[in-house]
Amino acid sequence: MTTSEPLIVLESVNKWFGPLHVLDNVSLSVGRGEVVVVIGPSGSGKSTLCRTINRLEPITSGSITFDGQPLPAEGRALAKLRSEVGMVFQSFNLFAHKTILENVTLGPIKVRREKPAAARERGLALLDRVGIANQADKFPAQLSGGQQQRVAIARALAMQPKAMLFDEPTSALDPEMVGEVLDVMTSLAREGMTMVVVTHEMGFARHAANRVVFMADGQLVEDAPPTEFFANPRSERAKDFLSKILTH
Amino acid sequence: MSVLIDKFDVFASGFWLTLQICFLAAIGALILGSVVAVLRISPVPPLRALGTVYVNTFRNLPLTIVFFFAAFGLPALGTNADFLRIPGLDIVFSRLGTDLPYFRFALIALVLYTAAFVCEALRSGVNAVPAGQAEAARSLGLTFIQNLRHVVLPQSWTASIVPLGSVIIAMIKNSALIGFFGVIGDLSQTADQLTSAGGEPFIPVAIGISIGYLIMTVPLGAFLDRVERRQAVAR
């Protein structure tokens, strides 16, 4: 599944928010086609970690490379890199003034300079894939949270990214809508998409992840296959965390 | 009150001159203010600093001082602001082309001053757009300008339109000062002409002048209310 050269490599990454050390010497590599699920208590730095990969959060020190290239500084090169890394947010962030289809085609048309007709056709196919083709002309506010998040996934996929970042994609959803979003993510994982997923969905971590990364207090505490991690967490922090969430 | 009818042509020409400078200054301030707003929200720190310095300078100086610098400072620098003698434009706005530069100086001062407020009105609209919108656009690979053009600005107009209207209305009223800086014949200065030089009674003249300003400001306010309501429904 994975080839020799990893797609995403973080080396000794540190990030400070003022006096707060949110990422403490984090090193992580994600191979091509690998699905890495990042879990941990809130405030552990897992969202920040996810957001450093496309430089929505600049880092204080260390290095991040994507597909062999160090992350560029602000500018056109960074925009190009971001176009190759899809991102799905906790709060969907669909463009409120654009229709569902326009949301999905904006990137391909403006960033990739695709012909609008071709972009629309692929956009509709992607919406069909996530099960919302019949809502293409509605506005985001007219859709349920689960539908909006599936559109957000389609919007990211429309750029034909090399990797997808998911920053707590189901945390803002009503419980009955979590499944429909996780289904789309699971099918993506099966197709070999490289994914970094920050989530609290342990079920998804168990069945879709190649590796589970556990973070606490800005540090990357454990990095193991899901079966191993859930059966025998090595650190006290992980044991404590799992005991709190798995007892319910 | 007969002065209102007898001297109607004087009021009318004063109204026309004030309307001219306000129209030109509004366009100039909207353009310059937009540029400064883009500077202030740009990802490049030196550009941001430049925008901030501009706003802090012109927002915090009294307008009379800005007029003063324009009317006395520009000639001292050896310029007559001849770049504003725009061919074609000076047919409708004849004062742009006159040898006496005070209309052009007053226009420059009004634009520089008002642009600072336009910038802040636009920026307050941009700040009202949830941060996630711009983040999502960046994560797709849109450049800063594309982000503004396709995602942020289309959503910020609603929040900008009311403060922007207040800025333009304030500018119309501020234009009443230009008579003190060499411009002859605008609506306010007309009052001085009619009362001091023409011996007309003050109160009827002041009422006439007031009506002139209200004709410009009240419809603008009403128009902005309409735009706001229409956009509120569309959202």
Side-chain angles (χ1 to χ4, degrees):
Chain A
M1 194 175 217
T2 56
T3 57
S4 52
E5 193 204 15
L7 186 61
I8 304 167
V9 181
L10 287 81
E11 242 170 293
S12 314
V13 168
N14 282 284
K15 164 123 188 132
W16 297 80
F17 279 130
L20 196 66
H21 203 175
V22 278
L23 291 179
D24 185 353
N25 210 29
V26 171
S27 296
L28 173 72
S29 77
V30 180
R32 287 164 206 276
E34 205 174 18
V35 177
V36 173
V37 167
V38 184
I39 62 174
S42 54
S44 59
K46 53 194 193 305
S47 273
T48 307
L49 176 77
C50 184
R51 290 161 57 87
T52 59
I53 296 172
N54 65 355
R55 209 174 183 275
L56 281 183
E57 297 288 355
I59 56 177
T60 312
S61 70
S63 77
I64 300 177
T65 56
F66 182 82
D67 204 9
Q69 303 290 320
L71 284 199
E74 211 60 60
R76 288 202 169 271
L78 181 62
K80 183 168 186 307
L81 173 123
R82 283 175 175 153
S83 74
E84 293 172 352
V85 184
M87 179 139 196
V88 175
F89 300 86
Q90 180 175 352
S91 47
F92 329 134
N93 295 349
L94 292 181
F95 305 130
H97 62 305
K98 294 197 175 289
T99 65
I100 297 308
L101 184 58
E102 286 168 348
N103 263 275
V104 178
T105 56
L106 182 72
I109 292 173
K110 297 301 169 193
V111 177
R112 291 277 154 77
R113 308 270 170 214
E114 285 179 29
K115 291 210 170 66
R120 265 200 299 277
E121 198 174 318
R122 215 178 62 248
L124 280 170
L126 281 165
L127 286 176
D128 190 41
R129 185 194 153 161
V130 299
I132 340 192
N134 56 346
Q135 319 270 11
D137 295 324
K138 289 192 179 169
F139 284 89
Q142 296 171 286
L143 269 58
S144 73
Q147 290 173 323
Q148 289 192 52
Q149 195 60 300
R150 284 184 281 151
V151 173
I153 295 173
R155 175 175 71 179
L157 289 176
M159 298 302 288
Q160 297 168 314
K162 293 177 182 166
M164 290 277 287
L165 309 174
F166 292 84
D167 184 7
E168 303 205 25
T170 57
S171 299
L173 295 177
D174 289 339
E176 79 270 23
M177 294 170 184
V178 169
E180 64 196 56
V181 172
L182 291 180
D183 285 345
V184 173
M185 290 167 60
T186 307
S187 79
L188 260 184
R190 286 216 189 90
E191 286 163 26
M193 173 63 76
T194 307
M195 293 163 63
V196 175
V197 184
V198 175
T199 187
H200 294 291
E201 300 298 331
M202 295 304 143
F204 178 81
R206 272 181 210 278
H207 73 252
N210 299 106
R211 277 156 60 206
V212 172
V213 163
F214 176 73
M215 287 190 71
D217 297 326
Q219 291 171 337
L220 200 157
V221 180
E222 288 199 38
D223 181 347
T227 43
E228 194 181 313
F229 175 78
F230 287 110
N232 310 303
R234 276 168 286 140
S235 65
E236 283 306 314
R237 293 298 310 261
K239 280 177 197 160
D240 182 50
F241 178 73
L242 288 175
S243 75
K244 276 178 185 148
I245 57 163
L246 295 179
T247 48
H248 297 291
Chain B
M1 292 299 277
S2 60
V3 63
L4 294 184
I5 295 150
D6 298 343
K7 300 287 181 185
F8 181 77
D9 57 330
V10 182
F11 285 108
S13 75
F15 178 85
W16 172 229
L17 190 67
T18 291
L19 194 63
Q20 284 183 51
I21 197 163
C22 289
F23 182 78
L24 292 171
I27 290 177
L30 286 172
I31 294 171
L32 182 61
S34 304
V35 171
V36 179
V38 169
L39 292 180
R40 283 209 77 180
I41 57 177
S42 91
V44 187
L47 295 183
R48 271 208 303 275
L50 185 67
T52 308
V53 167
Y54 181 92
V55 169
N56 281 334
T57 306
F58 286 101
R59 191 172 57 170
N60 296 327
L61 282 175
L63 175 58
T64 45
I65 306 296
V66 180
F67 272 129
F68 187 88
F69 272 113
F72 300 103
L74 289 175
L77 291 171
T79 175
N80 260 342
D82 288 328
F83 67 92
L84 284 173
R85 293 182 164 193
I86 303 161
L89 214 56
D90 59 5
I91 297 169
V92 184
F93 304 98
S94 54
R95 293 284 183 103
L96 278 180
T98 54
D99 287 335
L100 222 65
Y102 292 109
F103 181 87
R104 295 193 293 274
F105 290 162
L107 178 59
I108 289 172
L110 213 48
V111 166
L112 290 177
Y113 179 81
T114 309
F117 294 89
V118 167
C119 163
E120 293 304 275
L122 292 174
R123 221 163 53 87
S124 75
V126 167
N127 287 340
V129 178
Q133 297 283 308
E135 254 179 17
R138 279 194 284 156
S139 80
L140 284 176
L142 269 73
T143 61
F144 171 68
I145 296 293
Q146 285 178 324
N147 196 340
L148 282 182
R149 158 112 173 63
H150 298 292
V151 176
V152 176
L153 290 183
Q155 298 187 71
S156 71
W157 292 130
T158 334
S160 294
I161 200 91
V162 172
L164 212 49
S166 304
V167 167
I168 298 302
I169 288 172
M171 188 202 75
I172 293 173
K173 298 187 292 176
N174 286 339
S175 77
L177 286 172
I178 64 176
F180 296 103
F181 296 91
V183 179
I184 301 193
D186 80 295
L187 193 50
S188 281
Q189 208 265 333
T190 302
D192 196 42
Q193 278 178 37
L194 289 172
T195 54
S196 304
E200 300 287 349
F202 184 77
I203 292 189
V205 169
I207 289 173
I209 301 299
S210 304
I211 292 170
Y213 281 106
L214 291 175
I215 289 173
M216 285 181 264
T217 50
V218 171
L220 180 56
F223 169 73
L224 289 163
D225 282 350
R226 256 185 76 107
V227 173
E228 189 197 10
R229 264 203 303 277
R230 184 171 298 174
Q231 295 204 342
V233 173
R235 215 171 148 77

